[in-house]
């Protein structure tokens, strides 16, 4: 199968580490390993494009160029990754229709509340139009599945649990020994965290974690914090850590994904609030290595961390509950071991990328083999659904 691939949020070549980029590259890598030819149809970044009229002529140009690439590649299918109101797919439906190939979306998102605000209404309408044009929509989030079901028929909508390649995130005893010696941890438990140091919820989450750990340090608990990440707010976070955790926090910079298993292996638990975290691929990576998790019980986090089984999830910004969860794991070696083992097993059972994406591959192959007219034989349900 030859697939024209497009990611309107950010192209595959975008160098900024993020969960979205990780999922997109993982999907493309899986399809290529399965023997499919994947061609990037366009590198047009459509984030907030409906608010940037100076880019609209480029959309018309990209439509023409993308259609030519699709036809030159003799693509059997167009697959868009991550279409939602902020980055609507303004290329795929048009190009696929004119190339006479099926159009599908992986990680579609639908939120009717975006129709209520003037600043997001156009993005909402463009996104809704692309969702309705899709022969099939896949989502990796249960909340999105519920919302999409308002406008997408059940036979054109599939939930695919988020996944990683577990074999790339396994416990590494040599890395554990080396990193613990490097920071002089001794027998003290190590808390690991990781995020980009960019303004917004990422830095808020790191700041919150450092402050809560600072409270525990002042209570006399022995532990170390290791941090993977970098970005424009680095100095702000370093200063916070110097104030809250003098001599206890170690910032290791941006850790390449292929080295994350070694970084995580040095730790005894992983903690990051995950404020409004859509999914949080790093939670899966940490659990795959065998680490229990402490995070907020919000948005997509409970879909990748099992409450009370593989981690402790607390109400957002409940300082006492978050500190209690940290203390419980810091103080109980056996609990850390038990939860870590369950976490590792659950990732392999539920979040194995190859197993989960095989279902999507089967559906995409079926779409590519069916006459185009059959793909739209059923109408979508009425859009007068209850708004959230």
């Amino acid at each position: 199968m030859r697939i024209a691939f497009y990611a309107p949020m950010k192209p595959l070549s975008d160098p900024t580490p993020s969960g979205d980029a990780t999922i997109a590259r993982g999907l493309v890598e899986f399809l290529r390993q399965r023997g499919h030819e994947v061609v990037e149809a366009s590198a047009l970044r459509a984030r907030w494009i409906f608010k940037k009229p100076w880019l609209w002529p480029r959309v018309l140009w990209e439509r023409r160029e993308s259609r030519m690439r699709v036809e030159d590649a003799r693509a059997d299918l167009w697959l868009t990754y991550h279409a939602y109101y902020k980055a609507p797919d303004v290329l795929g439906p048009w190009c696929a229709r004119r190339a006479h190939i099926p159009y599908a979306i992986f990680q579609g998102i639908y939120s009717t509340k975006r129709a209520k605000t003037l600043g997001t209404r156009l993005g909402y309408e463009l996104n809704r139009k692309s969702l309705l044009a899709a022969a099939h929509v896949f989502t990796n989030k249960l909340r999105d599945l519920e919302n999409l079901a308002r406008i997408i028929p059940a036979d054109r909508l599939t939930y695919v649990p988020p996944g990683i390649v577990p074999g790339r995130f396994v416990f590494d005893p040599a890395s554990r020994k080396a990193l613990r010696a490097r920071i002089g941890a001794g027998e003290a438990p190590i808390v690991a965290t990781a995020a980009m140091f960019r303004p917004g919820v990422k830095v808020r989450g790191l700041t919150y974690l450092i402050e809560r750990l600072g409270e525990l340090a002042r209570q006399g608990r022995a532990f170390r914090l290791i941090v993977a990440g970098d970005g424009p707010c680095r100095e702000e976070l370093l200063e916070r850590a110097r104030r809250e955790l003098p001599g206890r926090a170690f910032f290791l910079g941006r850790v390449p994904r292929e080295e994350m298993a070694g970084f995580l292996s040095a730790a005894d638990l992983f903690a990051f609030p995950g404020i409004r975290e859509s999914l949080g691929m790093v939670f899966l990576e940490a659990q795959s290595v065998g680490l229990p998790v402490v995070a907020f019980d919000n948005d997509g986090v409970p879909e990748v961390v099992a409450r009370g089984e593989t981690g402790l999830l607390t109400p957002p910004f409940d300082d006492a509950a978050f500190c209690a969860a940290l203390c419980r794991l810091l103080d109980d070696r056996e609990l850390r071991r038990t939860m870590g083992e369950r976490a590792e097993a659950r990732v392999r059972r539920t979040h194995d990328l190859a197993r989960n994406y095989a279902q999507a591959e089967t559906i995409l192959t079926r779409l590519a083999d069916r006459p185009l007219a059959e793909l739209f034989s059923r109408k979508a349900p009425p859009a007068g659904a209850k708004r959230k």
Side-chain angles (χ1 to χ4, degrees):
M1 181 168 52
R2 294 180 292 272
I3 302 170
F5 183 87
Y6 176 50
M9 182 67 175
K10 59 182 68 170
L12 290 171
S13 59
D14 191 290
T16 306
S18 71
D20 285 332
T22 296
I23 296 172
R25 291 174 189 138
L27 175 61
V28 169
E29 180 184 8
F30 167 80
L31 291 169
R32 285 173 174 164
Q33 287 179 345
R34 294 287 294 173
H36 305 292
E37 182 181 345
V38 182
V39 176
E40 189 168 18
S42 176
L44 174 69
R45 187 167 186 179
R47 181 178 170 86
W48 297 118
I49 199 162
F50 53 91
K51 293 185 176 181
K52 302 173 181 178
W54 59 91
L55 290 180
W56 296 352
R58 186 183 170 189
V59 171
L60 299 178
W61 173 262
E62 283 292 331
R63 282 185 173 183
R64 175 180 176 275
E65 293 296 302
S66 298
R67 179 184 173 184
M68 292 174 60
R69 293 186 195 107
V70 167
E71 291 176 346
D72 288 345
R74 299 176 63 194
D76 303 302
L77 175 92
W78 179 294
L79 180 61
T80 288
Y81 168 76
H82 198 184
Y84 74 131
Y85 80 96
K86 281 186 182 179
D89 184 4
V90 293
L91 302 180
W94 188 91
C95 292
R97 181 68 70 178
R98 280 154 183 77
H100 304 290
I101 59 175
Y103 169 67
I105 296 174
F106 193 97
Q107 200 177 346
I109 299 175
Y110 179 67
S111 175
T112 55
K113 69 180 180 182
R114 306 302 174 186
K116 300 177 182 179
T117 304
L118 185 61
T120 57
R121 179 62 188 256
L122 181 54
Y124 162 84
E125 293 292 351
L126 290 169
N127 182 56
R128 182 175 181 276
K129 184 177 180 180
S130 70
L131 289 168
L132 293 174
H136 208 90
V137 178
F138 303 90
T139 179
N140 58 8
K141 191 173 174 182
L142 291 171
R143 183 178 178 184
D144 289 331
L145 179 69
E146 179 182 349
N147 292 335
L148 287 163
R150 300 172 178 177
I151 61 169
I152 307 296
D155 62 347
R156 283 165 46 189
L157 179 62
T158 300
Y159 171 66
V160 179
I164 61 173
V165 180
R168 296 178 183 173
F169 297 93
V170 296
F171 178 72
D172 182 349
S175 294
R176 177 179 176 83
K177 182 178 180 181
L179 184 48
R180 291 181 71 89
R182 174 180 161 189
I183 66 174
E187 296 299 315
I190 291 180
V191 180
T193 195
M196 286 295 294
F197 300 172
R198 59 171 180 255
V201 294
K202 299 298 185 185
V203 165
R204 283 183 66 198
L206 290 169
T207 299
Y208 185 86
L209 174 63
I210 291 169
E211 290 177 344
R212 300 293 76 74
L213 287 173
E215 294 178 22
L216 302 188
R218 288 187 287 275
Q219 294 173 12
R221 278 186 168 78
F223 62 85
R224 299 289 186 274
L225 171 68
I226 55 174
V227 185
D230 206 348
C233 299
R234 178 180 176 82
E235 288 306 316
E236 171 190 335
L237 290 168
L238 282 172
E239 178 57 32
R240 179 83 59 175
R242 281 192 287 264
R243 198 162 58 242
E244 296 284 343
L245 298 167
R248 292 172 179 256
F250 300 86
F251 287 70
L252 305 183
R254 182 179 296 182
V255 177
R257 195 161 187 256
E258 59 271 19
E259 298 176 16
M260 278 297 290
F263 165 79
L264 293 165
S265 294
D268 300 280
L269 64 126
F270 182 86
F272 183 65
I275 302 168
R276 299 194 304 276
E277 191 73 59
S278 178
L279 284 172
M281 300 303 288
V282 72
F283 292 126
L284 291 179
E285 296 166 4
Q287 290 175 101
S288 182
V289 173
L291 296 183
V293 169
V294 175
F296 284 170
D297 192 352
N298 73 165
D299 211 21
V301 177
E303 294 188 31
V304 293
V305 181
R307 297 183 190 89
E309 179 185 345
T310 69
L312 301 176
L313 303 182
T314 71
F317 301 104
D318 186 329
D319 297 359
F322 197 81
C323 284
L326 289 168
C327 288
R328 188 177 172 195
L329 286 173
L330 286 171
D331 296 346
D332 193 334
R333 183 192 299 265
E334 182 61 22
L335 180 62
R336 295 198 302 265
R337 184 191 65 79
T338 302
M339 279 195 165
E341 289 176 353
R342 291 174 182 165
E344 183 179 353
R346 187 172 186 269
V347 168
R348 280 149 183 77
R349 183 176 66 251
T350 308
H351 297 287
D352 185 316
L353 180 151
R355 184 182 299 119
N356 295 353
Y357 285 8
Q359 179 186 14
E361 178 195 19
T362 298
I363 294 172
L364 292 174
T365 302
R366 191 184 308 140
L367 291 180
D369 289 341
R370 288 173 61 187
L372 189 63
E374 292 184 11
L375 300 175
F376 299 93
S377 59
R378 296 187 182 183
K379 294 182 178 181
K386 183 171 63 176
R387 294 174 183 262
K388 63 174 187 168

